[in-house]
Amino acid sequence: MKQKPTALITGGAGFIGSHLGDKLLGEGFEVLVLDNLSSGKLVNLSSGIEFIQGCTTDKNMAQKLVDKADTIFHLSAIASVQASHENWLETHRANQSSTVTLLDCITNTKRSRPQSFVLSSSASVYGNPKTMPISESEILSPLSAYAADKAASEYHVKIGSRIHNIRTSVLRLFNVYGPRQDTASPYSGVISIFASKIMNGEALTIHGTGDQTRDFIYVGDVAEYFYRANQKADANSQTYNICTGKSISINELSHIIADICETKIDVTHEPVRDGDILHSLGDNSRAISNLNYGPQTDMKTGLRHTIVT
Ligand code: UD2
């Protein structure tokens, strides 16, 4: 009988990682999840997934798990711009040293079968881009410690491919939404915050005018992209924007959510958040052509899945 491939997902108990775990189980993988549960939750894990509690920067633990894996999906991070400024060194370890730890484990493994590595990066590496839609060739201009760590992680991945011949891919995620996204944390995405407030009959807070726009992509499509990016991982290490190529404003978003919930919304305005970018719209043509997949879930359908759960 053919042996199942084994995938290690760091941060696999989190919002995006847990959807990826489900996708990989469905594709016949053995799935190992390494997560310290700082933001991930055990309830996110489907049965059949092997869970290991720990930090990705724990070299001994990481080595043991990397030794078992055919592929490593690196999603663990402290995904917060604010936290990256309040706890610079701690977030740097979680967001950059973790990447080097895993790549170093790959170079040290005694395993004979070649391994692949997929990095979850962020559109924040672009900062305030000069051109819109943003293509992957845009100059990187991180504006936060979080974005700097993601950009540096990307460079380390390229080194992993160039010097050590590791098969890699890098995904730059735009604004991901969907079920299991935390509503309670101050770092939550706007969609989960709005959905939860509307369902609880609370007023929405809009920072600034609400005319700022974002390219929102549904988490199921993101999991599909991770799966395909691993299939295409090679020593040329391609980078992909993971987005829809369409954007909507925060005002429009609030109206769509209100329509779905069949309710009227109350809005209070607060000052623009520190470091907030005005517009974000990605060019996803490379992902569509190289990974042979375009986002399948439109905004209304994705929001319905998000709000009923
Ligand atoms: C995204 C990422 C973040 C980082 C950042 C870099 C998410 C959840 N966050 O932040 O990790 O990569 O990009 O630029 O993907 N807003 C409101 N009211 C609220 C909450 C948010 O008006 O209650 C606004 C907010 O000011 C912003 C927009 O909604 O203009 C989107 O906010 P977000 O936190 O969902 O995502 P973003 O793009 O700031």
Side-chain angles (χ1 to χ4, degrees):
M1 206 173 70
K2 207 173 155 232
Q3 209 189 335
K4 281 182 166 189
T6 300
L8 169 64
I9 311 175
T10 70
F15 162 49
I16 302 171
S18 65
H19 284 274
L20 175 59
D22 291 345
K23 166 72 188 166
L24 295 174
L25 277 183
E27 295 292 339
F29 278 76
E30 297 279 0
V31 180
L32 310 176
V33 160
L34 173 63
D35 200 303
N36 66 3
L37 299 181
S38 60
S39 59
K41 298 191 187 80
L42 288 177
V43 290
N44 288 344
L45 294 173
S46 299
S47 63
I49 286 180
E50 188 181 332
F51 173 70
I52 303 97
Q53 186 163 357
C55 289
T56 310
T57 46
D58 176 343
K59 179 77 185 5
N60 291 335
M61 166 96 77
Q63 187 69 61
K64 277 192 201 125
L65 295 173
V66 165
D67 287 346
K68 293 183 184 172
D70 295 290
T71 182
I72 295 100
F73 293 93
H74 181 30
L75 283 79
S76 66
I78 301 179
S80 159
V81 167
Q82 196 186 327
S84 77
H85 296 151
E86 286 164 5
N87 302 306
W88 198 350
L89 183 57
E90 185 199 347
T91 57
H92 170 70
R93 288 195 180 110
N95 296 342
Q96 187 182 330
S97 302
S98 60
T99 308
V100 179
T101 303
L102 292 167
L103 292 166
D104 192 50
C105 289
I106 294 176
T107 64
N108 286 325
T109 190
K110 302 278 180 291
R111 192 184 170 84
S112 56
R113 291 215 302 268
Q115 294 167 301
S116 53
F117 183 89
V118 182
L119 174 71
S120 181
S121 184
S122 158
S124 64
V125 296
Y126 295 120
N128 271 315
K130 292 204 171 45
T131 51
M132 206 72 77
I134 313 165
S135 84
E136 291 89 347
S137 55
E138 177 73 36
I139 288 171
L140 303 194
S141 182
L143 300 174
S144 63
Y146 170 75
D149 283 334
K150 285 294 183 186
S153 284
E154 291 192 9
Y155 289 125
H156 283 290
V157 169
K158 306 292 171 190
I159 297 299
S161 283
R162 203 164 69 82
I163 306 291
H164 301 284
N165 213 27
I166 304 171
R167 292 185 298 118
T168 65
S169 292
V170 170
L171 303 191
R172 290 184 183 146
L173 309 187
F174 281 64
N175 289 65
V176 184
Y177 73 99
R180 301 182 197 156
Q181 191 165 26
D182 200 354
T183 56
S185 132
Y187 319 131
S188 301
V190 64
I191 289 183
S192 58
I193 294 175
F194 279 6
S196 132
K197 285 197 167 167
I198 287 183
M199 285 187 289
N200 294 327
E202 295 169 29
L204 307 184
T205 305
I206 290 186
H207 297 281
T209 61
D211 291 329
Q212 66 268 44
T213 57
R214 293 291 184 273
D215 185 333
F216 292 102
I217 180 163
Y218 185 66
V219 67
D221 285 321
V222 175
E224 183 70 36
Y225 274 124
F226 269 101
Y227 170 69
R228 287 170 183 251
N230 177 53
Q231 290 179 315
K232 288 282 171 129
D234 62 21
N236 292 320
S237 189
Q238 194 56 273
T239 300
Y240 300 100
N241 280 344
I242 300 302
C243 56
T244 63
K246 295 181 193 125
S247 63
I248 66 164
S249 73
I250 300 307
N251 285 330
E252 284 173 280
L253 173 71
S254 67
H255 293 301
I256 300 174
I257 296 181
D259 277 354
I260 290 173
C261 296
E262 295 176 351
T263 176
K264 278 188 24 200
I265 48 165
D266 248 344
V267 171
T268 58
H269 283 267
E270 282 194 9
V272 175
R273 283 193 321 201
D274 225 12
D276 226 14
I277 53 171
L278 197 49
H279 298 296
S280 176
L281 171 66
D283 174 349
N284 61 354
S285 48
R286 182 187 288 173
I288 291 176
S289 67
N290 287 17
L291 303 177
N292 203 17
Y293 183 82
Q296 301 293 305
T297 311
D298 64 44
M299 192 84 208
K300 279 199 173 151
T301 310
L303 285 173
R304 283 203 183 90
H305 290 322
T306 308
I307 290 165
V308 293
T309 51

